[in-house]
Amino acid sequence: MYQPKATKGNTDWFVQDRFGMFIHWGIYALPARHEWVKQREEMTDEQYAPYFKHFNPVNFDPDSWAEQAAAAGMKYMVITAKHHDGFCLWDTQFTEYKAPNTPWGGDLLGAVVKAFRSRGLRVGFYYSLIDWHHPDFTVDRIHPLRNQPDRAGLNQGRQMRRYREYLKNQVRELLTNFGRIDIIWYDFSYPGEAGKGRDDWDSAGLEALSRELQPGIIINNRLDLPSAADIYTPEQFQPRAWVHVDGEPVVWETCQTFSGSWGYHRDEATWKSPGQLIRMLVNTVASGGNLLMNVGPTARGELDARAEAALAVYRDWMARHSEAIYGCSASAIAPPQDCRLTQNGDFLYLHIFAYPFRHLHFDGIGERLEYAEFLHDGSEIHFSVDKKNTATLDLPVRQPDAQVPVVKLYLKS
Ligand code: GLC
């Protein structure tokens, strides 16, 4: 339908694969009340220290994460190598604030990368531009210490120039020591009064370094440098149509959570229903985008039962419907009532969000229709075409056992 703006990074595979796993994991899994806890509760380093001191994910089993991601039909993953709290999952040479120095005592990132890669998933790194631990990172309007009486004093001696070096050194490590990395997901810029943006990070330098070390790598749009953005990343809301930037369609990926938090949140109750989960995926692809669905492993290193159940919802649906997702995109054809359409060439996939009684009327499609079948079992769907070019599909009265049933329509070529 739309031809998105060309990208510097290789997005060919990305727009085919459509579905990935986001992983937010770090020592914020211990307080278990949102990955921004240090910021929200305005904690000092000292107050946040117990989580570093007690981090010991003894049940860490990245193979099980990777297996569940693959089973859910996810084709790539993006993991937080470092989040805003500054804690690093890998054995970086540039800070002591890293997994090997916790009771766990070793690298965590390499094992995750290996597990996912061995199951054929592509690998991306989320890397926080923000760092609430680094001594050179100035206290700004969102910093945990923002309301300390002596903010100006706290900033004396802090040098963003040195922090910029730190960013580069770490990015160099991440993009050198872990084999091929397909995505680098920088997060995030907030320019303006007491904020930070491209000059604070040297976004142009980070872009150049990323592309030099990993030719083809995909860079997201949060560097505050529009020319660096391969993909756009609407977060925590569902776009209703293809995402446009400056009037042009772009490659995009929406990131979403199973519940409201990215990091493990024990008491968060807003877990999405199975139907919502599937409809979000369908909606995204029907609008020409990718879905990056997040899990927040626990402090023990496991996916909790609620996350596993949510992944199983995708597993069960994708087992019989992935053809309507992979390689598909938005269709130029208008969908019938209560439905969404995804399309791959002459195959049109009709996702039925609200299952009607016996008849589904599809205007404007009649003469183009060659054949119709349910996707999950390949059973034929009879249809008739009237003079107005409306196709009426005859559906069984009982909805098939699928969160969202899909009818595959073969268009005459
Ligand atoms: C936001 C948050 C962050 C989360 C990210 C995911 O930018 O700062 O906690 O990692 O969104 O998109």
PDB file of all heavy atoms in Angstrom, residues 101-124:
ATOM      1  N   ASN A 101      29.638  -7.955  39.143  1.00  0.00           N
ATOM      2  CA  ASN A 101      29.978  -7.501  40.498  1.00  0.00           C
ATOM      3  C   ASN A 101      28.826  -7.649  41.490  1.00  0.00           C
ATOM      4  O   ASN A 101      28.922  -7.192  42.626  1.00  0.00           O
ATOM      5  CB  ASN A 101      30.447  -6.050  40.465  1.00  0.00           C
ATOM      6  CG  ASN A 101      31.780  -5.922  39.738  1.00  0.00           C
ATOM      7  OD1 ASN A 101      32.517  -6.907  39.626  1.00  0.00           O
ATOM      8  ND2 ASN A 101      32.081  -4.739  39.237  1.00  0.00           N
ATOM      9  N   THR A 102      27.757  -8.264  41.083  1.00  0.00           N
ATOM     10  CA  THR A 102      26.659  -8.578  42.004  1.00  0.00           C
ATOM     11  C   THR A 102      26.895 -10.004  42.521  1.00  0.00           C
ATOM     12  O   THR A 102      27.776 -10.702  42.011  1.00  0.00           O
ATOM     13  CB  THR A 102      25.304  -8.545  41.263  1.00  0.00           C
ATOM     14  OG1 THR A 102      25.303  -9.575  40.268  1.00  0.00           O
ATOM     15  CG2 THR A 102      25.058  -7.189  40.598  1.00  0.00           C
ATOM     16  N   PRO A 103      26.076 -10.453  43.465  1.00  0.00           N
ATOM     17  CA  PRO A 103      26.221 -11.843  43.927  1.00  0.00           C
ATOM     18  C   PRO A 103      26.127 -12.859  42.786  1.00  0.00           C
ATOM     19  O   PRO A 103      26.698 -13.946  42.871  1.00  0.00           O
ATOM     20  CB  PRO A 103      25.065 -12.012  44.910  1.00  0.00           C
ATOM     21  CG  PRO A 103      24.798 -10.632  45.406  1.00  0.00           C
ATOM     22  CD  PRO A 103      25.091  -9.708  44.259  1.00  0.00           C
ATOM     23  N   TRP A 104      25.435 -12.504  41.720  1.00  0.00           N
ATOM     24  CA  TRP A 104      25.354 -13.410  40.568  1.00  0.00           C
ATOM     25  C   TRP A 104      26.744 -13.714  40.032  1.00  0.00           C
ATOM     26  O   TRP A 104      27.079 -14.849  39.688  1.00  0.00           O
ATOM     27  CB  TRP A 104      24.470 -12.805  39.482  1.00  0.00           C
ATOM     28  CG  TRP A 104      24.565 -13.546  38.182  1.00  0.00           C
ATOM     29  CD1 TRP A 104      25.246 -13.153  37.069  1.00  0.00           C
ATOM     30  CD2 TRP A 104      23.989 -14.818  37.879  1.00  0.00           C
ATOM     31  NE1 TRP A 104      25.117 -14.098  36.084  1.00  0.00           N
ATOM     32  CE2 TRP A 104      24.358 -15.132  36.543  1.00  0.00           C
ATOM     33  CE3 TRP A 104      23.194 -15.723  38.590  1.00  0.00           C
ATOM     34  CZ2 TRP A 104      23.967 -16.319  35.918  1.00  0.00           C
ATOM     35  CZ3 TRP A 104      22.803 -16.898  37.978  1.00  0.00           C
ATOM     36  CH2 TRP A 104      23.186 -17.192  36.653  1.00  0.00           C
ATOM     37  N   GLY A 105      27.548 -12.685  39.902  1.00  0.00           N
ATOM     38  CA  GLY A 105      28.962 -12.876  39.625  1.00  0.00           C
ATOM     39  C   GLY A 105      29.373 -13.144  38.189  1.00  0.00           C
ATOM     40  O   GLY A 105      30.480 -13.621  37.949  1.00  0.00           O
ATOM     41  N   GLY A 106      28.523 -12.839  37.222  1.00  0.00           N
ATOM     42  CA  GLY A 106      28.954 -13.072  35.842  1.00  0.00           C
ATOM     43  C   GLY A 106      28.152 -12.267  34.845  1.00  0.00           C
ATOM     44  O   GLY A 106      27.195 -11.571  35.203  1.00  0.00           O
ATOM     45  N   ASP A 107      28.558 -12.384  33.600  1.00  0.00           N
ATOM     46  CA  ASP A 107      27.843 -11.742  32.502  1.00  0.00           C
ATOM     47  C   ASP A 107      26.458 -12.372  32.335  1.00  0.00           C
ATOM     48  O   ASP A 107      26.274 -13.567  32.582  1.00  0.00           O
ATOM     49  CB  ASP A 107      28.661 -11.922  31.213  1.00  0.00           C
ATOM     50  CG  ASP A 107      27.838 -11.642  29.971  1.00  0.00           C
ATOM     51  OD1 ASP A 107      27.611 -10.467  29.677  1.00  0.00           O
ATOM     52  OD2 ASP A 107      27.402 -12.614  29.306  1.00  0.00           O
ATOM     53  N   LEU A 108      25.485 -11.583  31.905  1.00  0.00           N
ATOM     54  CA  LEU A 108      24.156 -12.132  31.624  1.00  0.00           C
ATOM     55  C   LEU A 108      23.768 -11.948  30.165  1.00  0.00           C
ATOM     56  O   LEU A 108      22.981 -12.705  29.616  1.00  0.00           O
ATOM     57  CB  LEU A 108      23.103 -11.437  32.506  1.00  0.00           C
ATOM     58  CG  LEU A 108      23.175 -11.808  33.988  1.00  0.00           C
ATOM     59  CD1 LEU A 108      22.412 -10.801  34.833  1.00  0.00           C
ATOM     60  CD2 LEU A 108      22.628 -13.219  34.220  1.00  0.00           C
ATOM     61  N   LEU A 109      24.349 -10.939  29.545  1.00  0.00           N
ATOM     62  CA  LEU A 109      23.909 -10.583  28.195  1.00  0.00           C
ATOM     63  C   LEU A 109      24.310 -11.635  27.158  1.00  0.00           C
ATOM     64  O   LEU A 109      23.506 -12.009  26.296  1.00  0.00           O
ATOM     65  CB  LEU A 109      24.506  -9.216  27.829  1.00  0.00           C
ATOM     66  CG  LEU A 109      23.933  -8.523  26.608  1.00  0.00           C
ATOM     67  CD1 LEU A 109      22.438  -8.273  26.776  1.00  0.00           C
ATOM     68  CD2 LEU A 109      24.648  -7.195  26.369  1.00  0.00           C
ATOM     69  N   GLY A 110      25.537 -12.100  27.251  1.00  0.00           N
ATOM     70  CA  GLY A 110      26.033 -13.059  26.266  1.00  0.00           C
ATOM     71  C   GLY A 110      25.174 -14.315  26.213  1.00  0.00           C
ATOM     72  O   GLY A 110      24.880 -14.843  25.134  1.00  0.00           O
ATOM     73  N   ALA A 111      24.748 -14.780  27.377  1.00  0.00           N
ATOM     74  CA  ALA A 111      23.950 -16.002  27.435  1.00  0.00           C
ATOM     75  C   ALA A 111      22.584 -15.793  26.783  1.00  0.00           C
ATOM     76  O   ALA A 111      22.050 -16.687  26.112  1.00  0.00           O
ATOM     77  CB  ALA A 111      23.789 -16.444  28.878  1.00  0.00           C
ATOM     78  N   VAL A 112      22.023 -14.602  26.976  1.00  0.00           N
ATOM     79  CA  VAL A 112      20.714 -14.319  26.366  1.00  0.00           C
ATOM     80  C   VAL A 112      20.861 -14.278  24.840  1.00  0.00           C
ATOM     81  O   VAL A 112      20.084 -14.880  24.098  1.00  0.00           O
ATOM     82  CB  VAL A 112      20.143 -12.976  26.885  1.00  0.00           C
ATOM     83  CG1 VAL A 112      18.845 -12.630  26.174  1.00  0.00           C
ATOM     84  CG2 VAL A 112      19.929 -13.034  28.388  1.00  0.00           C
ATOM     85  N   VAL A 113      21.886 -13.573  24.397  1.00  0.00           N
ATOM     86  CA  VAL A 113      22.130 -13.455  22.960  1.00  0.00           C
ATOM     87  C   VAL A 113      22.268 -14.845  22.338  1.00  0.00           C
ATOM     88  O   VAL A 113      21.655 -15.159  21.313  1.00  0.00           O
ATOM     89  CB  VAL A 113      23.408 -12.618  22.710  1.00  0.00           C
ATOM     90  CG1 VAL A 113      23.860 -12.725  21.265  1.00  0.00           C
ATOM     91  CG2 VAL A 113      23.157 -11.156  23.087  1.00  0.00           C
ATOM     92  N   LYS A 114      23.052 -15.676  22.984  1.00  0.00           N
ATOM     93  CA  LYS A 114      23.313 -17.014  22.450  1.00  0.00           C
ATOM     94  C   LYS A 114      22.017 -17.837  22.369  1.00  0.00           C
ATOM     95  O   LYS A 114      21.734 -18.504  21.365  1.00  0.00           O
ATOM     96  CB  LYS A 114      24.312 -17.705  23.375  1.00  0.00           C
ATOM     97  CG  LYS A 114      24.851 -18.984  22.838  1.00  0.00           C
ATOM     98  CD  LYS A 114      26.092 -19.427  23.618  1.00  0.00           C
ATOM     99  CE  LYS A 114      26.305 -20.909  23.345  1.00  0.00           C
ATOM    100  NZ  LYS A 114      26.287 -21.739  24.547  1.00  0.00           N
ATOM    101  N   ALA A 115      21.232 -17.760  23.438  1.00  0.00           N
ATOM    102  CA  ALA A 115      20.001 -18.553  23.480  1.00  0.00           C
ATOM    103  C   ALA A 115      19.042 -18.148  22.356  1.00  0.00           C
ATOM    104  O   ALA A 115      18.460 -19.005  21.677  1.00  0.00           O
ATOM    105  CB  ALA A 115      19.320 -18.381  24.830  1.00  0.00           C
ATOM    106  N   PHE A 116      18.892 -16.859  22.143  1.00  0.00           N
ATOM    107  CA  PHE A 116      17.942 -16.403  21.114  1.00  0.00           C
ATOM    108  C   PHE A 116      18.484 -16.672  19.722  1.00  0.00           C
ATOM    109  O   PHE A 116      17.756 -17.121  18.830  1.00  0.00           O
ATOM    110  CB  PHE A 116      17.599 -14.921  21.309  1.00  0.00           C
ATOM    111  CG  PHE A 116      16.565 -14.712  22.381  1.00  0.00           C
ATOM    112  CD1 PHE A 116      16.925 -14.762  23.722  1.00  0.00           C
ATOM    113  CD2 PHE A 116      15.228 -14.513  22.059  1.00  0.00           C
ATOM    114  CE1 PHE A 116      15.970 -14.605  24.725  1.00  0.00           C
ATOM    115  CE2 PHE A 116      14.263 -14.350  23.045  1.00  0.00           C
ATOM    116  CZ  PHE A 116      14.638 -14.390  24.383  1.00  0.00           C
ATOM    117  N   ARG A 117      19.756 -16.408  19.569  1.00  0.00           N
ATOM    118  CA  ARG A 117      20.339 -16.607  18.241  1.00  0.00           C
ATOM    119  C   ARG A 117      20.272 -18.074  17.833  1.00  0.00           C
ATOM    120  O   ARG A 117      20.001 -18.398  16.688  1.00  0.00           O
ATOM    121  CB  ARG A 117      21.773 -16.116  18.251  1.00  0.00           C
ATOM    122  CG  ARG A 117      22.248 -15.667  16.909  1.00  0.00           C
ATOM    123  CD  ARG A 117      23.640 -15.116  16.998  1.00  0.00           C
ATOM    124  NE  ARG A 117      23.700 -13.682  17.154  1.00  0.00           N
ATOM    125  CZ  ARG A 117      24.630 -13.053  17.863  1.00  0.00           C
ATOM    126  NH1 ARG A 117      25.568 -13.730  18.517  1.00  0.00           N
ATOM    127  NH2 ARG A 117      24.636 -11.750  17.916  1.00  0.00           N
ATOM    128  N   SER A 118      20.486 -18.948  18.781  1.00  0.00           N
ATOM    129  CA  SER A 118      20.490 -20.378  18.439  1.00  0.00           C
ATOM    130  C   SER A 118      19.097 -20.853  18.040  1.00  0.00           C
ATOM    131  O   SER A 118      18.942 -21.909  17.449  1.00  0.00           O
ATOM    132  CB  SER A 118      21.033 -21.210  19.597  1.00  0.00           C
ATOM    133  OG  SER A 118      20.064 -21.270  20.615  1.00  0.00           O
ATOM    134  N   ARG A 119      18.077 -20.067  18.370  1.00  0.00           N
ATOM    135  CA  ARG A 119      16.724 -20.431  17.917  1.00  0.00           C
ATOM    136  C   ARG A 119      16.299 -19.617  16.701  1.00  0.00           C
ATOM    137  O   ARG A 119      15.119 -19.561  16.358  1.00  0.00           O
ATOM    138  CB  ARG A 119      15.735 -20.255  19.058  1.00  0.00           C
ATOM    139  CG  ARG A 119      15.848 -21.410  20.024  1.00  0.00           C
ATOM    140  CD  ARG A 119      15.171 -21.137  21.341  1.00  0.00           C
ATOM    141  NE  ARG A 119      15.386 -22.276  22.227  1.00  0.00           N
ATOM    142  CZ  ARG A 119      16.499 -22.479  22.937  1.00  0.00           C
ATOM    143  NH1 ARG A 119      17.498 -21.633  22.862  1.00  0.00           N
ATOM    144  NH2 ARG A 119      16.620 -23.545  23.710  1.00  0.00           N
ATOM    145  N   GLY A 120      17.275 -18.967  16.104  1.00  0.00           N
ATOM    146  CA  GLY A 120      16.997 -18.289  14.838  1.00  0.00           C
ATOM    147  C   GLY A 120      16.422 -16.893  14.984  1.00  0.00           C
ATOM    148  O   GLY A 120      16.002 -16.287  13.992  1.00  0.00           O
ATOM    149  N   LEU A 121      16.386 -16.359  16.200  1.00  0.00           N
ATOM    150  CA  LEU A 121      15.878 -14.989  16.347  1.00  0.00           C
ATOM    151  C   LEU A 121      17.009 -13.990  16.147  1.00  0.00           C
ATOM    152  O   LEU A 121      18.153 -14.248  16.504  1.00  0.00           O
ATOM    153  CB  LEU A 121      15.261 -14.782  17.735  1.00  0.00           C
ATOM    154  CG  LEU A 121      13.830 -15.318  17.880  1.00  0.00           C
ATOM    155  CD1 LEU A 121      13.839 -16.789  18.218  1.00  0.00           C
ATOM    156  CD2 LEU A 121      13.061 -14.541  18.942  1.00  0.00           C
ATOM    157  N   ARG A 122      16.683 -12.876  15.585  1.00  0.00           N
ATOM    158  CA  ARG A 122      17.660 -11.792  15.466  1.00  0.00           C
ATOM    159  C   ARG A 122      17.775 -11.065  16.795  1.00  0.00           C
ATOM    160  O   ARG A 122      16.855 -11.111  17.614  1.00  0.00           O
ATOM    161  CB  ARG A 122      17.249 -10.824  14.366  1.00  0.00           C
ATOM    162  CG  ARG A 122      17.345 -11.450  12.992  1.00  0.00           C
ATOM    163  CD  ARG A 122      16.988 -10.424  11.956  1.00  0.00           C
ATOM    164  NE  ARG A 122      16.918 -11.028  10.649  1.00  0.00           N
ATOM    165  CZ  ARG A 122      17.821 -10.823   9.675  1.00  0.00           C
ATOM    166  NH1 ARG A 122      18.855 -10.028   9.873  1.00  0.00           N
ATOM    167  NH2 ARG A 122      17.667 -11.390   8.510  1.00  0.00           N
ATOM    168  N   VAL A 123      18.917 -10.388  16.952  1.00  0.00           N
ATOM    169  CA  VAL A 123      19.238  -9.807  18.249  1.00  0.00           C
ATOM    170  C   VAL A 123      19.399  -8.291  18.153  1.00  0.00           C
ATOM    171  O   VAL A 123      20.083  -7.783  17.262  1.00  0.00           O
ATOM    172  CB  VAL A 123      20.545 -10.435  18.784  1.00  0.00           C
ATOM    173  CG1 VAL A 123      21.031  -9.697  20.023  1.00  0.00           C
ATOM    174  CG2 VAL A 123      20.337 -11.923  19.084  1.00  0.00           C
ATOM    175  N   GLY A 124      18.766  -7.596  19.072  1.00  0.00           N
ATOM    176  CA  GLY A 124      18.929  -6.152  19.173  1.00  0.00           C
ATOM    177  C   GLY A 124      19.251  -5.762  20.603  1.00  0.00           C
ATOM    178  O   GLY A 124      18.877  -6.467  21.538  1.00  0.00           O
TER     179      GLY A 124
END
